[in-house]
Amino acid sequence: MLTGGGDCPGLNAVIRAATRRLVDGGAEPVGVLRGWRGMVEGLFRPLDLAAVSGILPRGGTILHTSRTNPFSVEGGVEAVRRSFEQLDGLIAIGGEDTLGVAGRLHDEFGLPVIGVPKTIDNDIAGTDRTFGFDTAVSIATEAIDRLHTTAESHDRVMVVEVMGRHAGWLAVTSGIAGGADVVLIPEFPLTVERCAELIRARHSRGKDFSIVVVSEGWPLTHEAGAGEIATTNAELDAFGHARLGGVGQQLADALEQITGFETRVTTLGHLQRGGTPTAYDRVLATRYGLLAGELALTKRFGLMTALRGDDVVPAPLSDAAGKLRTVPRSYYALAEAFFG
Ligand code: F6P
């Protein structure tokens, strides 16, 4: 098994559960280090019960991770195919990019792959939920709660920038839980002017502070139109992604200028991905890991684990390919009901 892409709380819980199921089924699990890079370079380590003992509550991944894309490394796919000769199958735990590679290796080369969807962004199609999201929501909600008290003391506008490259799940969910006064997400971009109007409306009814939650993937949008998505490094990674970040500061500056209210910004960044998973994420990750181990034992490849309603089920890997699960209007409306 390997873990690829950005880490998230719960990866170790999947590794532990899959290892347990595989060992119990008489298999010899192997960890591939550093995501797809480990398949290109042949970086393996044996996994047994001792190796996964005590890792359930630990954040990060004992297998390490990378954003290597074998399809953009010269000779990468051939090297991955050679690594597969040493394996009966591969459980790839990752987000859209890692699962996209897994799907291509299965569809184009018939390689025996099983996917497990992870990301704090919760934007993978084909599953109702990814593990890691619940933990990130808890961290962001706690941050909003803490910012509330200091915002209120100083009569300030507090802008909180959360992760969410393509989808606003994290912003909307922590915004609902934390009582945000405006939430800005890529799916339904409000303008800065409308945001300022909502804040002014609060002030005119005696609320001298406001909390604005913004997704890193929301482009600064004025009435005149949307700007570029803010990046801290515009160079693209192996999957074609720029490093996002910075829209919170842009928004804070624009709001302060329009409203005249003192505004501060907090960017939560990788704090949202670190630390111990919540009980919910540990359980979901464990369910995914056990099912992935079972699928490997029974040689059912080309599938991924998915949450559908309350059930964890196998689903075609292709369900996750080439599309994203974005926030529906009805869910955003729950946050919107409390704007201003
Ligand atoms: O995709 C998950 C994610 O956390 C995004 O929300 C964010 O843009 C990105 O990863 C950050 O990745 P990195 O760890 O490379 O900074």
Side-chain angles (χ1 to χ4, degrees):
M1 62 194 88
L2 64 75
T3 51
D7 70 346
C8 78
L11 287 168
N12 283 327
V14 179
I15 295 166
R16 167 181 174 268
T19 299
R20 170 61 74 120
R21 179 51 52 91
L22 288 165
V23 168
D24 286 354
E28 287 174 19
V30 172
V32 179
L33 301 177
R34 301 191 167 80
W36 292 113
R37 184 177 146 201
M39 286 297 280
V40 173
E41 298 178 11
L43 310 173
F44 297 151
R45 63 165 275 193
L47 286 175
D48 56 16
L49 295 188
V52 298
S53 172
I55 67 171
L56 173 63
R58 268 171 62 188
T61 162
I62 61 163
L63 297 179
H64 300 252
T65 184
S66 73
R67 293 196 184 273
T68 299
N69 179 356
F71 286 95
S72 57
V73 173
E74 205 176 315
V77 175
E78 292 68 34
V80 167
R81 293 178 75 180
R82 277 195 298 280
S83 284
F84 264 102
E85 287 167 13
Q86 300 178 55
L87 308 170
D88 296 316
L90 177 71
I91 299 172
I93 311 162
E96 44 152 347
D97 299 327
T98 304
L99 297 182
V101 170
R104 282 188 68 182
L105 292 174
H106 178 265
D107 295 350
E108 295 174 28
F109 301 98
L111 292 169
V113 188
I114 292 156
V116 176
K118 69 89 223 178
T119 168
I120 65 163
D121 293 359
N122 198 36
D123 59 358
I124 298 182
T127 182
D128 291 348
R129 182 65 75 100
T130 55
F131 65 88
F133 174 64
D134 186 69
T135 307
V137 167
S138 301
I139 294 166
T141 303
E142 194 199 328
I144 294 169
D145 288 348
R146 288 177 184 275
L147 290 167
H148 251 112
T149 61
T150 172
E152 193 166 6
S153 310
H154 286 268
D155 300 334
R156 282 175 175 159
V157 177
M158 288 288 189
V159 172
V160 190
E161 179 182 318
V162 299
M163 281 186 170
R165 185 185 289 281
H166 309 289
W169 289 105
L170 195 44
V172 179
T173 309
S174 61
I176 294 168
D181 305 304
V182 186
V183 178
L184 299 159
I185 64 172
E187 290 91 333
F188 307 108
L190 283 187
T191 63
V192 176
E193 289 78 6
R194 174 71 184 137
C195 184
E197 205 180 295
L198 290 163
I199 291 169
R200 280 215 187 94
R202 274 175 62 74
H203 279 242
S204 60
R205 65 182 173 85
K207 289 284 188 187
D208 295 329
F209 72 96
S210 296
I211 303 285
V212 179
V213 180
V214 59
S215 284
E216 61 179 1
W218 174 78
L220 190 75
T221 306
H222 283 282
E223 267 162 15
E228 296 287 308
I229 293 176
T231 57
T232 55
N233 184 340
E235 208 175 294
L236 303 185
D237 69 15
F239 290 94
H241 304 305
R243 205 178 297 163
L244 302 193
V247 72
Q249 187 63 59
Q250 293 178 350
L251 176 64
D253 292 346
L255 287 175
E256 195 166 65
Q257 205 188 10
I258 298 172
T259 62
F261 300 138
E262 197 180 2
T263 305
R264 295 283 194 273
V265 58
T266 300
T267 303
L268 296 182
H270 294 82
L271 277 176
Q272 295 158 101
R273 294 222 310 249
T276 188
T278 58
Y280 179 91
D281 277 338
R282 293 182 201 188
V283 173
L284 182 60
T286 297
R287 295 174 79 192
Y288 281 172
L290 288 174
L291 177 60
E294 186 62 33
L295 293 173
L297 285 173
T298 51
K299 302 196 179 302
R300 295 168 66 199
F301 299 115
L303 299 172
M304 69 171 194
T305 63
L307 184 72
R308 302 268 168 99
D310 287 333
D311 297 323
V312 167
V313 295
L317 249 181
S318 53
D319 283 5
K323 42 194 176 290
L324 286 166
R325 204 172 74 87
T326 51
V327 173
R329 181 87 231 178
S330 57
Y331 191 62
Y332 186 60
L334 303 177
E336 241 177 347
F338 298 92
F339 285 5

